[in-house]
Amino acid sequence: MKKIVYLLLITSLVSCGKNPPPPCKHCPPPVDSNNINVSILIDLSDRIDPKTNPNPTMEHFQRDIEYIKAIEKGFLNHIKTKRIVTYNDQMQVFFNPEPSDPKINDFTKELQVSFDKNTNKAYFNTVEKRYAQFPTNIYQSAIKDGNYVGSDIWEFFRNKIKDYCVKDDHRNILFILTDGYMYHKDTMFSQDKKTSYLTSKLIKSNNLTASDFKTIFEKNNLGFVKANDNLSNLEVIVLGLNPEKGNPFEEAVIKEYWEKWFKEMKIKKYQIKSADLPSNLEPIIVKAITGKN
């Protein structure tokens, strides 16, 4: 009798061990890194104004246009490596705040593209034509309008980035085209010594103008106010850093602000690149999307 009881007990334990765990009810869907969601956030502040910030080699707005074309190239190159039945990829452009000229918003809609298993090959040419035309239209319209209100990047990260730029089941990549400074009149505040903005004047007032800037930065716990708690499923590439002249450490200080901000928001993968000729940055941009040169 005892042997029977023991056998039943052992059988029961073994059976329990074979039972699969209950399904996760609140877990996010698994990420498919082959499906990409690419976003481009454009800083339409006066940094693009050829009168205020001229560049005889190549104007900053022209560089931006070529950066965007390189992003589009990397995006399409990635999709072309996939089988049609696996297409599930998107690309879009954002501003914050939205420009006052409604035409710019119309142009932006043309740059919202999506591929799925029903997409035909002709759509590739459509995307290429859109990205050859509409980025130029956006910058020309913004410069003509001349109403440079700044770029509220901090507020975008605080209130919009998860809704606009993050899909739980995709590899999410955000390109930010900016000079590295962050400013908008409606979002200027500080918490202790951290701020929601960064200007050259702030860098000077924080005495970050000498080779010991990093010591001062860390000692005073300077940086951006954290805008989000967990963006670990987002990759960020900042393009176009353009520090003001006069402080040889300005660019390094700007990078220090951004890097600390990204780390505090748990962004694990990021790059911060200075303004350069598009021909030099294109391989970096394409590789950031496809992982190939």
Side-chain angles (χ1 to χ4, degrees), residues 68-205:
I68 294 170
K69 289 180 181 177
I71 295 169
E72 172 254 331
K73 177 181 178 181
F75 176 76
L76 292 184
N77 283 355
H78 169 77
I79 296 174
K80 289 173 183 178
T81 65
K82 302 174 62 174
R83 292 181 298 119
I84 294 175
V85 294
T86 66
Y87 285 179
N88 185 8
D89 308 86
Q90 298 84 36
M91 181 166 60
Q92 52 272 322
V93 173
F94 298 107
F95 315 101
N96 197 48
E98 292 183 353
S100 58
D101 184 353
K103 289 182 181 178
I104 295 182
N105 294 313
D106 291 338
F107 297 149
T108 305
K109 291 177 183 177
E110 295 291 337
L111 298 175
Q112 294 175 346
V113 299
S114 179
F115 285 77
D116 59 35
K117 63 183 180 181
N118 298 314
T119 303
N120 58 50
K121 290 185 178 180
Y123 190 60
F124 282 90
N125 292 331
T126 300
V127 173
E128 289 174 348
K129 288 179 181 178
R130 291 182 188 181
Y131 273 79
Q133 175 187 349
F134 290 107
T136 300
N137 292 348
I138 287 171
Y139 284 91
Q140 288 177 341
S141 181
I143 292 169
K144 182 179 179 180
D145 180 59
N147 184 28
Y148 304 112
V149 295
S151 182
D152 203 345
I153 297 173
W154 190 92
E155 194 272 340
F156 187 86
F157 268 79
R158 176 65 180 174
N159 297 318
K160 299 177 182 178
I161 198 162
K162 286 189 175 180
D163 289 335
Y164 292 2
C165 305
V166 177
K167 288 180 172 288
D168 289 337
D169 56 346
H170 282 58
R171 178 181 168 221
N172 301 291
I173 309 168
L174 170 64
F175 289 88
I176 305 176
L177 309 188
T178 179
D179 56 9
Y181 298 105
M182 198 183 296
Y183 168 82
H184 191 270
K185 60 183 179 63
D186 294 333
T187 311
M188 288 189 66
F189 67 92
S190 60
Q191 290 181 359
D192 297 325
K193 291 193 175 182
K194 290 186 177 181
T195 58
S196 63
Y197 62 95
L198 179 63
T199 62
S200 187
K201 183 178 179 180
L202 179 68
I203 290 173
K204 292 183 179 70
S205 67

Side-chain angles (χ1 to χ4, degrees), residues 12 17 42 78 80 92 107 121 216 219 225 241 255 262:
S12 176
I42 302 176
H78 169 77
K80 289 173 183 178
Q92 52 272 322
F107 297 149
K121 290 185 178 180
I216 297 171
K219 180 181 178 181
V225 176
L241 256 63
K255 287 184 177 180
F262 289 155

